[in-house]
Amino acid sequence: MSAASLLAVDSLWELFSRAISLRDYNTRVVLGGTTMLGISGGLVGTFLVLRKRALAADVVSHAALPGIAVAFLLAERLAPGSGRSTSVLLCGAFVSGLLGMAMTLAIRRWTRIKEDAALAIVLGLFFGLGMALFTVVQRTKTGNAAGLSHFIFGKAASMVASDVWLIGVVSVVIALLCCGVFKELSLLCFDEEFAAARGYRTVLLDWLLTLMAVTVTLIGLQSVGLLLVVALLLIPPTAARFWTNDLKVMSWLAAVIGGVSCAGGVVLSAAFPRLAAGAVIVLTGAGLFVVSLVLGKERGLWPRWQSQRQFERRIGRSDLLRACYELLEPILGPDQTTQESLTKYEIDNLELLSMRQWPAGRFQSMVSSAVRESLLDANFTGGYRLTLRGAAESRDAVRRHRLWEIYLLTQTDLDPRLVDRGADGIEHVLDPQQLADLERQLATHLPEGIPPSPHPIASAAIN
Amino acid sequence: MNESPVIDHEAMQEPPTRLVAVGATEAEPVSPLLIEDVTVAYHHRPVLWNIDYQAPSGKLIAIVGPNGSGKTTLIKATLDLVPRAAGQVLIFGEPYRQQRHRVGYVPQRTSVDWDFPVSALDVVAMGMYRKIGWLRPVSRKYRDAAKQALDRVGMVDFASRQINQLSGGQQQRVFLARALAQNADLYFMDEPFAGVDAATERAIVDILRQLRESGKTVIAVHHDLQTVHEYFDEVVLLNMRLIAAGPTADVFTPDNLRKTYGGKLALLDQLGEKMAQPRSR
């Protein structure tokens, strides 16, 4: 028992190390070819996603099924034994895939059926037809052994070197083509009408993109299978979009993610032959997608949440410090609010809370984070005192706020009762760079120091 | 090695026959835009009927009309973006496809998805893709030209900003810069003032005037009747048919506006009163 399991572990390790170290010529070729497939899938998929044609790829792959079956049956009838040739089967897949695509376009053009419905109809029709034809294939003498089901579920490891060379070369061609017409495709995806006005044949560009997507789909059938091949086109670009706002970076990243998930999938499925390669490839990609969704620098959930929190904290902090200042201002007198004098008076917790309509919980967390950042000193009596740093920042916050209030009062027709709110809005909505520019312009028209509030402070509490 | 002779396809083409506007002699400058008897139909429903118009050179021209009156369609039919059921359009005396390089186009801002992953500079460079040519990346020279165009609309500081982070007015200015980068002689703009802030409106008006000073012609769909007099030299009043066209002072009258809008505008009465007062110009 234990010997057997040891043996299993041993052979597993043996398999794994063979896969990793690429000792097999075949594994090496499969790895190279499939990685190229992932790269070109990521590149083409980028434009497909931006052109909002994601579902079309799914239709093409499903529509390929009857073509494969028909090609097999025809080839067997004409020359028995030739039905297993990959190129024959892919030719059939290509024809019926394009036919499916053309039918979708025709339905959309000539009937009032909407695009999503047209896609679903064609997908169902062709896939159903394909399944029916497959039962016919299974009944033929050679059909069972022909490995046609690999086209449905994919089996990267079983591919022979000559097939993979085809996949690799076609992938490289597509990737190069994609880079060559990068400009034109990006213009097509962004502003089709402008492209047309500039004299681009947008219909031809669209067909070029469709053709590239169909080709990637078809050469991906063997390794990933037609059920999942669409993921090769869609997962990498959508994952890449979370990291960047730049199309070039996005397409490179999509190519890398596609390549990595394919390579990872091939290695894993070579190590564990019972795993379906297609599933492993797609799951690897999906894993990268989830990571991107959460951590992606530009649009990921975590960075977004972080910046939202930071923003709220910044607003809370400046509001709190302003309230401190405005509480002390009447005590000190308008011209006596120097940095040092602001630190001398104690601020009562309840009085501070009454300056604005803060929810109690938020107020507490604002105060305690201000204490943590040593802007406020907490007294054991339950009151607070501004630190030197806090005093300086509170003066800045008040000055900024009042500059805006005065600007709004003098330069716009805003109701004087609303300027406090308006100034708040400007301070909190503008980004720091814009704010700095505008404040520099404003400050040249105004005296140094902190101008008096243009409205009674009490109204701030009521507002 | 056997060197194959270089064939200049451009030179092989026959020079395009010059079609001169009816009544115009060779000496007169050819009209930047001549629309003859153009009819456009969508799904067998006509949206433009028998439009005839000859645009003067070097003027700012407004196309004015109610919603659904075919203003955008007129521009699109001119630029071969929608098929014409009848009639012809000549740009500087030739069909559009031979004069593309002389025509700049600013589509409606809302016609594209601004969440697209490109920067303001990338969008402006798109105006020069034709000139750059296939298979070539956007070189330094064109990037500089794009920056200059952005500078003209006051957006050079935003060159590397992603377009989804721009305000509506800024997006409009980027679109304008893209057309400026084409360095055209005739510009079509579809509602350049729609939904922009006051600063952008002023900036766009300044650009339009600069274009006019350098002899360019601008044809813009315009919605704000109040500013037509101030901004535009010529007006085309459109409501599926051409109601009137000509210099603003002659054509932009309450009577013509009533014909265009079918008396639906309460604003017309106010405007009528304004027009009735002797203008001190």
Side-chain angles (χ1 to χ4, degrees), chain A residues 183 191 197 199 241 245 247 299, chain B residues 96 115 117 133 136 162 178:
Chain A
K183 283 202 321 290
D191 195 347
R241 187 71 178 92
N245 276 324
L247 181 56
R299 311 185 141 209
Chain B
Y96 174 62
D115 203 25
R136 274 182 219 153
Q162 297 309 310
R178 179 173 70 171

Side-chain angles (χ1 to χ4, degrees), chain B residues 4-41:
Chain B
S4 61
V6 179
I7 298 165
D8 187 349
H9 289 281
E10 292 280 310
M12 298 264 297
Q13 274 173 4
E14 266 181 59
T17 41
R18 211 142 207 266
L19 294 157
V20 180
V22 186
T25 57
E26 279 291 337
E28 273 177 48
V30 190
S31 168
L33 171 67
L34 177 66
I35 298 176
E36 281 185 335
D37 200 21
V38 163
T39 296
V40 178

Side-chain angles (χ1 to χ4, degrees), chain A residues 50-52 177 180-187 189-194 196-201 205 208 241 244-248 250 298-299 431 433-434 437, chain B residues 76 79 81 96 100-101 103 105 107 111-118 122-123 126-127 129-130 132-138 161-165 170 175 178 182:
Chain A
L50 290 175
R51 189 95 179 97
K52 305 189 168 76
L177 193 63
V181 294
F182 193 91
K183 283 202 321 290
E184 287 74 17
L185 285 181
S186 64
L187 177 55
C189 295
F190 175 60
D191 195 347
E192 180 184 1
E193 200 158 72
F194 186 78
R198 298 299 296 133
Y200 287 107
R201 300 276 187 84
L205 276 173
L208 179 68
R241 187 71 178 92
T244 177
N245 276 324
D246 186 301
L247 181 56
K248 276 213 181 81
M250 177 182 164
E298 288 294 338
R299 311 185 141 209
D431 68 53
Q433 179 61 39
Q434 286 172 314
D437 286 350
Chain B
K76 287 189 179 172
L79 300 178
L81 295 175
Y96 174 62
R100 269 189 193 115
H101 58 284
V103 177
Y105 175 38
S111 66
V112 303
D113 175 11
W114 287 92
D115 203 25
F116 202 77
V118 287
D122 294 333
V123 172
M126 286 177 184
Y129 278 4
R130 257 346 292 247
I132 297 167
W134 291 85
L135 301 178
R136 274 182 219 153
V138 182
R161 188 76 68 95
Q162 297 309 310
I163 56 171
N164 58 6
Q165 289 161 15
Q170 292 169 332
F175 255 21
R178 179 173 70 171
Q182 286 175 243

Side-chain angles (χ1 to χ4, degrees), chain B residues 48-105:
Chain B
L48 283 176
W49 276 106
N50 305 84
I51 307 291
D52 281 296
Y53 178 63
Q54 180 167 5
S57 186
K59 294 279 197 277
L60 305 182
I61 303 164
I63 303 179
V64 174
N67 289 334
S69 59
K71 304 184 293 291
T72 299
T73 307
L74 182 62
I75 290 184
K76 287 189 179 172
T78 305
L79 300 178
D80 295 343
L81 295 175
V82 297
R84 296 184 289 271
Q88 69 165 346
V89 175
L90 297 178
I91 310 272
F92 296 108
E94 285 167 25
Y96 174 62
R97 90 189 95 81
Q98 278 150 19
Q99 293 286 19
R100 269 189 193 115
H101 58 284
R102 296 182 70 181
V103 177
Y105 175 38

Side-chain angles (χ1 to χ4, degrees), chain A residues 364-400:
Chain A
Q364 272 316 318
S365 82
M366 270 162 47
V367 168
S368 48
S369 75
V371 170
R372 231 185 358 262
E373 291 166 52
S374 60
L375 299 164
L376 287 180
D377 274 337
N379 289 356
F380 55 89
T381 53
Y384 301 96
R385 214 181 268 254
L386 281 166
T387 63
L388 272 175
R389 225 181 99 210
E393 269 198 37
S394 76
R395 282 171 55 86
D396 281 348
V398 171
R399 176 175 157 77
R400 200 162 54 213

